[in-house]
Amino acid sequence: FTGPFTDVVTTNLKLRNPSDRKVCFKVKTTAPRRYCVRPNSGIIDPGSSVIVSVMLQPFDYDPNEKSKHKFMVQTTYAPPNISDMEAVWKEAKPDELMDSKLRCVFEMPNENDKLNDIDASKPAPVLNTSKQDGPMPKPHSVSLNDTETRKLVEECKRLQAEIMKLTDENRHLRDEGLRLRKVAHSDKSGSPTALALRDNGSNSLPSLLVVIAAIFIGFFLGKFIL
């Protein structure tokens, strides 16, 4: 019997007669006040079967209490002429009776089974994709795949090559500026204005290269972090 036991719980008992003679049956229980059996006795024809409904009355279930309730199905061959069923059982000899004993088991459904039954009875919810309760969270990646890693490595190598190239050009321009200064100092005929323009031009080139290198590095770092 499966709970909850707050209402009547019914279990069916199927009795089958495999013999070629009619069989009388009777269902007994150790707790007659707790159960209602229909039918509790009768006759089964050869090769036929009968369904006996056993109805457990409501009671306060205690999982720690072991069930001691038992049923016994008693059978015997029916005499040729049956006029009184009670007389059949009274006159039957012990070696003509067959007894089958059954023990009652009480079970409560699991919480998961209850939830599954409730979910199965509810209709499936309809998702509304046109409206959202709140802003969607921004996706963020924890790790990069192999393709993105290779691209970043190649970009890093290219930027390093650009930085080395700019460094060489800066060194070359710095040397050229020193050479021009020496020529300017040695050239007495040169005007002060022309000398000042050369110095400003030579000094602005390294600064421009540093700014370009910083832009490349910032672009690379921003792409790698984002």
Side-chain angles (χ1 to χ4, degrees):
F1 299 90
T2 304
F5 303 101
T6 56
D7 200 355
V8 176
V9 180
T10 303
T11 298
N12 292 327
L13 179 65
K14 183 177 181 180
L15 304 180
R16 182 175 177 273
N17 179 11
S19 67
D20 56 354
R21 296 174 56 184
K22 290 184 178 181
V23 172
C24 297
F25 75 91
K26 179 186 289 188
V27 181
K28 299 180 179 181
T29 179
T30 57
R33 294 184 179 181
R34 298 285 295 274
Y35 300 92
C36 181
V37 182
R38 293 290 183 274
N40 60 355
S41 63
I43 300 175
I44 308 176
D45 293 330
S48 300
S49 60
V50 63
I51 300 297
V52 177
S53 298
V54 182
M55 291 164 279
L56 173 63
Q57 303 304 309
F59 71 102
D60 295 331
Y61 173 69
D62 185 2
N64 297 323
E65 181 182 356
K66 294 183 179 180
S67 173
K68 297 181 181 180
H69 299 171
K70 295 180 181 180
F71 276 82
M72 183 177 67
V73 180
Q74 197 172 46
T75 58
T76 185
Y77 286 116
N81 297 319
I82 303 176
S83 58
D84 187 2
M85 287 292 297
E86 293 296 330
V88 172
W89 295 108
K90 290 180 180 180
E91 297 174 359
K93 298 178 181 180
D95 56 353
E96 295 177 351
L97 299 176
M98 186 183 74
D99 299 335
S100 299
K101 295 181 180 180
L102 302 173
R103 184 174 62 88
C104 296
V105 177
F106 302 145
E107 293 181 352
M108 288 293 291
N110 296 329
E111 294 297 330
N112 294 332
D113 296 338
K114 293 181 180 179
L115 293 177
N116 292 334
D117 294 339
I118 294 174
D119 294 339
S121 62
K122 291 182 178 180
V126 179
L127 298 178
N128 186 6
T129 57
S130 62
K131 184 179 180 180
Q132 297 178 353
D133 295 335
M136 293 293 292
K138 294 183 179 179
H140 62 281
S141 59
V142 178
S143 60
L144 299 176
N145 53 30
D146 296 338
T147 303
E148 294 179 349
T149 303
R150 286 196 298 270
K151 289 181 180 180
L152 290 175
V153 171
E154 293 175 359
E155 185 70 16
C156 181
K157 291 181 180 180
R158 189 182 66 81
L159 291 175
Q160 289 179 353
E162 291 289 339
I163 292 174
M164 293 179 63
K165 182 179 179 181
L166 292 174
T167 303
D168 294 337
E169 292 180 357
N170 188 20
R171 185 183 302 107
H172 177 71
L173 292 174
R174 186 172 60 251
D175 295 340
E176 185 68 19
L178 292 175
R179 188 182 65 80
L180 291 176
R181 289 179 183 177
K182 292 180 181 179
V183 172
H185 284 294
S186 61
D187 189 5
K188 296 181 180 180
S189 61
S191 63
T193 305
L195 182 59
L197 290 175
R198 290 197 193 103
D199 293 339
N200 293 333
S202 61
N203 291 333
S204 62
L205 287 175
S207 300
L208 180 61
L209 294 176
V210 171
V211 171
I212 295 173
I215 292 173
F216 274 105
I217 295 173
F219 171 77
F220 168 70
L221 292 176
K223 184 175 181 180
F224 182 78
I225 294 173
L226 297 176

